[in-house]
């Protein structure tokens, strides 16, 4: 993919498609373990730690609705991932260091547990064992989507580029009948721009162009190729789109191809420009592609994924149909609970492996745990006294789900004491009901949380930057005490006692006007570990106010303000 300018004015057309029968219960695995973030690339769904995509994008995909923006996740393929979830698919990443296997019961991410394997622009050659596994996956019913880039796109300078890597995967002659042009000096077929590329096949049965699950592309939009290669086809392979200057029916200069192998299906495209998006959380250089309204990139790719996911599944690509089992072990049914940290424990088991366990309270998802023993810390003070229902749901890699029996417990908190902050430790993995600057709710390893996995990390950029975090609360007029507390860690590259970067803790009215600045911390207060800070806010009883933190950095040398485990206790 080559750099290109973004259009000055964009008109976005959002097409809402109900999850179709083609997509229900289908799982898509995105390879993120073959240098997909080399150079300026960012071909991942989401990265909690820059350059390393985790298995499950965060926040959890269960929170995606028809109106969710692609910025819900941070990778350069987030638009594609979010769109597929909207269409009913389950998506995951195969992280760096994870194994590519087929029919290996010891690997929770074995390809047999998925319907489609998406390989976006690999920059590391597949091992012989990986080649065997991928071929077996397709041969036994799986779907493979190969996303290449122009010849010469060796982003990590290891001597291997995506067209060569895919050709190596397919062998010579190609077992799929698809061969990528890997000649970088060939500006006709190995490295070219072509936009719009709407040189569609005349075959009206094409599942990519004419009979796709999600519609027919415009006759004038087509693909937006910016630094593409092309393919030569033979055998079972079919061309669906050719380079604009190529003759329909040609076996060369193909830009979108499909094939079959055994009982499985394969699709190949010549350029990652059509699957990327313009946002990522790691400062990489990516552009509008999948969701660019100027082209039909996203429609054509989604049609391909739907076709790939619905091949003959005789032993591959998601044939695991056994759901996990799960049960809540604590608290027990009929027990009485109270306080801000009631631990809900669950057991879960599966014939292949448990991918995650969700914890639900009164029909609402409250938390997710991916590591045994599975648990969630429940703040009961935010619930009314009375009976509440707990449920655990366990998922495997094939997206089979098992649900526990309902467990009813009684919440009984002293009415004279109440904790007002909701989601005080950010363990839901989202900001809500906090209002937070983009990217500060974090579970990465760059800074530790005070407890649990999540925290709010303000600033830390080493450049002029402002972050804010706020939650609106109402302090009862009958309160006799009201204490705001939280845990704070300050890390800095500054030296000396001059305050260059600051964090202000404020109380503001519901309109955002500052009523009081409770404290100001700076780089001069940096210290190892967390320290608890507390303030009386009884002055504001009977008022609806904002607990407001604002961090500001100057032009150089980072200071990180990490906050966690808030409470506003009133009596």
């Amino acid at each position: 993919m080559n750099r290109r300018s973004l259009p000055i004015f964009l008109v976005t057309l959002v097409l809402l498609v109900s999850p179709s029968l083609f997509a229900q219960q289908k799982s898509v695995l995105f390879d993120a373990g073959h240098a997909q973030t080399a150079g300026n690339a960012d071909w991942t769904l989401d990265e909690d730690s820059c350059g390393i995509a985790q298995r499950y994008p965060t926040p959890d995909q269960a929170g995606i609705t028809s109106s969710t923006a692609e910025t819900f996740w941070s990778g350069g393929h987030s638009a594609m991932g979010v769109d597929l979830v909207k269409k009913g698919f389950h998506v995951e990443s195969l992280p760096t260091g994870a194994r590519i296997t087929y029919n290996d019961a010891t690997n929770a991410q074995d390809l047999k547990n998925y319907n489609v394997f998406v390989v976006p622009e690999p920059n590391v050659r597949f091992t012989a064992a990986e080649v065997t596994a991928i071929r077996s996956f397709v041969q036994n019913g799986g779907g493979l989507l190969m996303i290449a880039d122009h010849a010469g796109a060796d982003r990590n300078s290891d001597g291997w580029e995506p067209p060569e890597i895919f050709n190596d995967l397919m062998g010579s002659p190609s077992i799929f009948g698809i061969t990528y042009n890997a000649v970088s000096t060939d500006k006709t077929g190995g490295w070219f721009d072509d936009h719009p590329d709407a040189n569609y096949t005349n075959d009206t049965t094409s599942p990519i162009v004419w009979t796709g699950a999600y519609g027919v592309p415009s006759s004038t939009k087509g693909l937006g190729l910016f630094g593409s290669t092309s393919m030569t086809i033979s055998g079972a392979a079919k061309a669906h789109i050719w380079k604009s200057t190529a003759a329909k029916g040609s076996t060369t200069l193909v830009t979108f191809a499909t094939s079959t192998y055994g009982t499985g299906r394969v699709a190949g495209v010549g350029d990652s420009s059509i699957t990327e998006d313009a946002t990522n959380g790691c400062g990489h250089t990516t552009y509008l592609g999948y969701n660019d309204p100027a082209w039909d990139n996203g429609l054509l790719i989604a049609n391909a994924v739907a076709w790939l996911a619905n091949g003959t599944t005789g032993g591959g690509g998601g044939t695991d149909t056994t759901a996990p089992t799960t049960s809540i072990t604590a608290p027990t049914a009929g027990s009485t609970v109270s306080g801000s940290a009631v631990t809900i424990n669950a057991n879960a088991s599966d014939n292949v492996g448990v991918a995650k366990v969700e914890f639900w309270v009164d029909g609402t998802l409250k938390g997710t745990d991916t590591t045994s023993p599975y648990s969630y810390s429940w703040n009961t003070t935010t619930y009314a006294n009375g009976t509440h229902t707990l449920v655990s749901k366990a998922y495997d890699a094939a997206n089979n789900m098992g649900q526990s029996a309902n467990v009813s417990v009684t919440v009984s908190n002293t009415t004279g004491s109440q904790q007002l902050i909701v989601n005080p430790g950010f363990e839901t993995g989202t900001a809500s009901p906090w209002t937070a600057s983009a990217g500060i709710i974090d579970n990465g390893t760059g800074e530790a949380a005070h407890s649990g996995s999540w925290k709010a990390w303000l600033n830390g950029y080493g450049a002029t930057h402002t972050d804010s975090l706020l939650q609106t609360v109402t302090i009862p007029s009958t309160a006799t005490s009201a204490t705001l507390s939280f845990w704070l860690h300050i890390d800095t590259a500054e030296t000396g006692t001059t305050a260059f970067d600051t964090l202000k803790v404020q109380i503001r009215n519901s309109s955002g006007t500052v009523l009081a600045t409770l404290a100001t911390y700076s780089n001069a207060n940096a210290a190892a570990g967390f320290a608890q800070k507390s303030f009386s806010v009884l002055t504001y009883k009977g008022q609806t106010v904002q607990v407001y933190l604002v961090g500001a950095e100057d032009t150089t040398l980072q200071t990180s303000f990490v906050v966690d485990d808030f409470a506003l206790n009133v009596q």
Side-chain angles (χ1 to χ4, degrees):
M1 184 204 73
N2 280 348
R3 182 179 179 87
R4 64 184 191 272
S5 298
L6 294 176
I8 298 175
F9 298 102
L10 295 178
V11 178
T12 301
L13 173 64
V14 179
L15 177 63
L16 300 180
V17 181
S18 298
S20 81
L21 294 175
F22 290 91
Q24 290 178 4
Q25 304 301 311
K26 304 294 184 178
S27 294
V28 181
L29 180 65
F30 284 73
D31 183 24
H34 289 79
Q36 271 83 7
T37 58
N40 271 322
D42 200 310
W43 314 140
T44 66
L45 297 174
D46 182 60
E47 299 159 82
D48 285 346
S49 179
C50 284
I52 303 175
Q54 70 282 1
R55 177 179 179 180
Y56 295 107
T58 54
D60 192 285
Q61 58 198 282
I64 292 177
T65 68
S66 61
S67 61
T68 301
E70 58 93 356
T71 51
F72 188 75
W73 293 332
S74 65
H77 270 160
S78 60
M80 181 177 174
V82 169
D83 182 57
L84 291 179
V85 173
K86 291 178 182 180
K87 289 176 166 61
F89 292 92
H90 170 82
V91 300
E92 294 181 18
S93 296
L94 187 71
T96 299
R99 294 184 294 145
I100 296 178
T101 63
Y102 180 76
N103 206 23
D104 181 346
T106 67
N107 182 7
Q109 286 194 284
D110 185 83
L111 292 180
K112 193 172 182 179
N113 299 320
Y114 301 89
N115 298 94
V116 179
F117 187 34
V118 178
V119 182
E121 198 182 319
N123 267 267
V124 173
R125 185 185 183 190
F126 293 106
T127 66
E130 290 174 332
V131 168
T132 299
I134 295 170
R135 291 181 178 183
S136 296
F137 167 68
V138 177
Q139 187 173 27
N140 287 284
L144 173 66
L145 175 57
M146 301 182 293
I147 303 169
D149 199 7
H150 63 81
D154 181 8
R155 295 182 186 273
N156 60 347
S157 302
D158 68 345
W160 285 87
E161 58 196 45
E164 293 175 326
I165 292 170
F166 283 130
N167 289 343
D168 186 61
L169 167 66
M170 294 181 284
S172 180
S174 170
I175 62 170
F176 302 150
I178 296 171
T179 302
Y180 281 97
N181 186 319
V183 181
S184 61
T185 56
D186 180 0
K187 303 307 180 183
T188 299
W191 189 344
F192 59 88
D193 290 354
D194 192 7
H195 46 86
D197 177 12
N199 193 9
Y200 304 135
T201 178
N202 290 329
D203 180 358
T204 57
T205 66
S206 166
I208 308 302
V209 180
W210 304 116
T211 64
Y214 302 110
V216 176
S218 163
S219 61
T220 59
K221 289 186 177 181
L223 296 173
L225 303 175
F226 294 84
S228 180
T229 188
S230 64
M231 293 162 279
T232 297
I233 61 170
S234 62
K238 294 182 178 181
H240 299 266
I241 308 176
W242 289 265
K243 186 181 178 184
S244 293
T245 56
K248 294 182 192 293
S250 171
T251 59
T252 62
L253 297 178
V254 178
T255 53
F256 207 130
T258 65
S259 188
T260 56
Y261 179 66
T263 57
R265 297 175 172 182
V266 178
V269 295
D271 188 14
S272 57
S273 294
I274 65 176
T275 56
E276 68 174 319
D277 58 66
T279 61
N280 63 81
C282 295
H284 296 163
T285 303
T286 57
Y287 303 93
L288 272 177
Y290 186 90
N291 54 345
D292 191 333
W295 326 114
D296 275 327
N297 297 332
L299 171 64
L300 291 160
I301 290 294
N303 280 348
V305 172
W307 178 77
L308 291 168
N310 285 277
T312 303
T313 56
T319 59
D320 175 18
T321 59
T322 303
T325 59
T326 181
S327 62
I328 290 179
T329 58
T332 57
S335 61
T336 299
V337 296
S338 62
S340 60
V342 173
T343 300
I344 305 175
N345 293 321
N347 286 337
S349 61
D350 184 65
N351 63 318
V352 176
V354 174
K356 65 177 178 178
V357 173
E358 296 177 344
F359 293 89
W360 295 69
V361 179
D362 295 338
T364 300
L365 176 62
K366 303 304 296 182
T368 301
D369 197 350
T370 59
T371 306
S372 178
Y374 305 102
S375 64
Y376 168 70
S377 182
W378 180 30
N379 181 6
T380 69
T381 64
T382 63
Y383 287 75
N385 286 341
T387 301
H388 297 273
T389 302
L390 311 180
V391 169
S392 61
K393 297 181 181 180
Y395 295 80
D396 61 18
N399 207 32
N400 299 308
M401 185 271 287
Q403 181 171 317
S404 72
N406 291 351
V407 172
S408 294
V409 297
T410 300
V411 170
S412 180
N413 288 301
T414 304
T415 56
S417 177
Q418 188 178 8
Q419 201 287 102
L420 301 181
I421 299 292
V422 181
N423 193 16
F426 313 102
E427 293 304 317
T428 63
T430 62
S432 179
W434 295 90
T435 299
S437 297
I440 72 172
I441 307 303
D442 174 77
N443 70 342
T445 58
E447 292 284 357
H450 174 253
S451 66
S453 302
W454 293 82
K455 73 280 183 182
W457 180 354
L458 288 77
N459 305 117
Y461 295 97
T464 302
H465 186 84
T466 299
D467 279 331
S468 63
L469 176 71
L470 73 95
Q471 186 172 142
T472 300
V473 297
T474 300
I475 302 176
S477 60
T478 56
T480 58
S481 69
T483 302
L484 170 67
S485 64
F486 62 92
W487 291 82
L488 171 65
H489 168 62
I490 303 175
D491 174 87
T492 189
E494 303 278 8
T495 57
T497 59
T498 301
F500 297 106
D501 311 314
T502 61
L503 175 72
K504 293 182 179 180
V505 183
Q506 298 175 332
I507 297 295
R508 301 189 179 193
N509 66 19
S510 57
S511 299
T513 301
V514 177
L515 301 178
T517 297
L518 303 178
T520 300
Y521 304 101
S522 75
N523 51 277
N525 303 118
F530 282 84
Q532 189 175 35
K533 309 298 181 181
S534 61
F535 312 91
S536 173
V537 290
L538 185 61
T539 301
Y540 309 102
K541 69 178 182 178
Q543 299 182 44
T544 297
V545 296
Q546 297 174 351
V547 175
Y548 200 107
L549 281 71
V550 57
E553 281 185 288
D554 66 0
T555 56
T556 186
L557 297 178
Q558 73 86 21
T559 299
S560 296
F561 300 101
V562 184
V563 292
D564 200 0
D565 295 332
F566 282 76
L568 204 171
N569 293 309
V570 298
Q571 289 186 337

